[in-house]
Amino acid sequence: MAVRIIVPARVRTFDAHGEVRAGPDRLAGEEPLEIRLNGQQFTVTMRTPGDDFELVTGLLLSEAVITEVSHIVKMDYRSGVDQDGHRTYNVVDVRLAPAAPGPRADAQRQVFTSSSCGVCGTPSLDGVVKSSAYPVAHPRPLVTAARLVSLPDELREHQRVFSATGGVHAAALFPVGRDEPLVVREDVGRHNAVDKVIGWAVQRGLLPLHEAVLQVSARASFELVSKAAMAGIPVLSAVSAPSALAVTHGRERGVTVVGFNRKGRCNVYTHPERITGEGTEE
């Protein structure tokens, strides 16, 4: 799997005067992943191979198909084979438990989902906003400003694939009161990276994540706020800008939306009550 995460390539480098050099390079892997529910196609997404079961688990939670790990009876790659009968590891079939909420009748994704899109293919606007089994707790002091603005640099220290390729996003869960992240995941898709960290938490029975900050290396979009809300995550921090809809959604769902978190400063757009001044985290 490792060779599919970081793929070797040859590159020729040019500047204004012509070719500077030719040599090896490393690229982030990107391949399709088809997700099937009880044998039926649910969606296809582009992702960086690796941690696929976490990705699928997080996506199913975000789509309200499951609310806990017991709703997944089994996941396997057996359905994906090439013309020679070799397993491709690009199809994951999920067997859902009878108690699982399952997909809505009109909720199946009808189009190919790119690595930059988390809600593409949702058939209707009603299917975009979903009820969470883990509502975000009432705003209260949760994390100090000093701790909050330190998270992007701490995340960067764990971005091994980015260091090798410069071509992936990252997401991490930072628990309140602890120095190290619970989990860090990277992917060509920012929503995939978030699904992977949330899926990791679902598989370990850690939801709701009421005592964690979700730090991402990208912008704060509507879809990322929605994923945080579905997992009960109270704070979403991004190094780049939030969208207007992300801010509106964060205000409505009780998520503290933080943007432009870099170089020791950040903007807090919703529920600033969770951010405190100097002192220790509660």
Side-chain angles (χ1 to χ4, degrees), residues 53 74-80 87 91-95:
F53 288 0
K74 185 178 182 181
M75 279 193 286
D76 63 56
Y77 288 107
R78 289 185 299 173
S79 300
R87 193 168 294 172
V91 179
V92 172
D93 196 2
V94 183
R95 181 182 168 196

Side-chain angles (χ1 to χ4, degrees), residues 78-92:
R78 289 185 299 173
S79 300
V81 295
D82 61 21
Q83 59 184 7
D84 297 320
H86 299 132
R87 193 168 294 172
T88 65
Y89 296 97
N90 282 336
V91 179
V92 172

Side-chain angles (χ1 to χ4, degrees), residues 88-156:
T88 65
Y89 296 97
N90 282 336
V91 179
V92 172
D93 196 2
V94 183
R95 181 182 168 196
L96 295 175
R104 289 178 12 176
D106 63 345
Q108 285 188 313
R109 302 288 183 89
Q110 299 299 321
V111 301
F112 196 75
T113 303
S114 74
S115 56
S116 63
C117 180
V119 297
C120 298
T122 303
S124 69
L125 290 176
D126 289 340
V128 173
V129 179
K130 299 173 178 65
S131 297
S132 174
Y134 308 102
V136 179
H138 183 73
R140 63 175 178 81
L142 187 71
V143 61
T144 65
R147 176 62 175 152
L148 182 62
V149 298
S150 74
L151 298 184
D153 288 340
E154 293 186 31
L155 173 60
R156 181 66 183 84

Side-chain angles (χ1 to χ4, degrees), residues 53-239:
F53 288 0
E54 294 175 357
L55 168 59
V56 172
T57 302
L59 176 63
L60 294 183
L61 178 92
S62 298
E63 293 294 318
V65 175
I66 66 168
T67 60
E68 57 188 61
V69 68
S70 66
H71 289 158
I72 296 176
V73 175
K74 185 178 182 181
M75 279 193 286
D76 63 56
Y77 288 107
R78 289 185 299 173
S79 300
V81 295
D82 61 21
Q83 59 184 7
D84 297 320
H86 299 132
R87 193 168 294 172
T88 65
Y89 296 97
N90 282 336
V91 179
V92 172
D93 196 2
V94 183
R95 181 182 168 196
L96 295 175
R104 289 178 12 176
D106 63 345
Q108 285 188 313
R109 302 288 183 89
Q110 299 299 321
V111 301
F112 196 75
T113 303
S114 74
S115 56
S116 63
C117 180
V119 297
C120 298
T122 303
S124 69
L125 290 176
D126 289 340
V128 173
V129 179
K130 299 173 178 65
S131 297
S132 174
Y134 308 102
V136 179
H138 183 73
R140 63 175 178 81
L142 187 71
V143 61
T144 65
R147 176 62 175 152
L148 182 62
V149 298
S150 74
L151 298 184
D153 288 340
E154 293 186 31
L155 173 60
R156 181 66 183 84
E157 292 175 1
H158 291 82
Q159 293 178 242
R160 292 191 297 268
V161 181
F162 181 84
S163 295
T165 68
V168 293
H169 294 289
L173 290 172
F174 285 92
V176 173
R178 286 178 51 183
D179 292 334
E180 291 296 313
L182 284 172
V183 59
V184 177
R185 293 290 182 264
E186 296 178 272
D187 199 280
V188 289
R190 63 182 182 274
H191 62 279
N192 288 342
V194 171
D195 280 336
K196 286 178 178 180
V197 300
I198 291 176
W200 177 92
V202 174
Q203 290 179 354
R204 287 158 181 76
L206 299 180
L207 269 59
L209 292 163
H210 286 165
E211 301 292 323
V213 176
L214 174 61
Q215 177 66 51
V216 299
S217 64
R219 63 185 177 88
S221 63
F222 164 85
E223 61 189 338
L224 298 193
V225 174
S226 179
K227 290 176 185 296
M230 293 298 287
I233 299 172
V235 181
L236 167 65
S237 171
V239 299

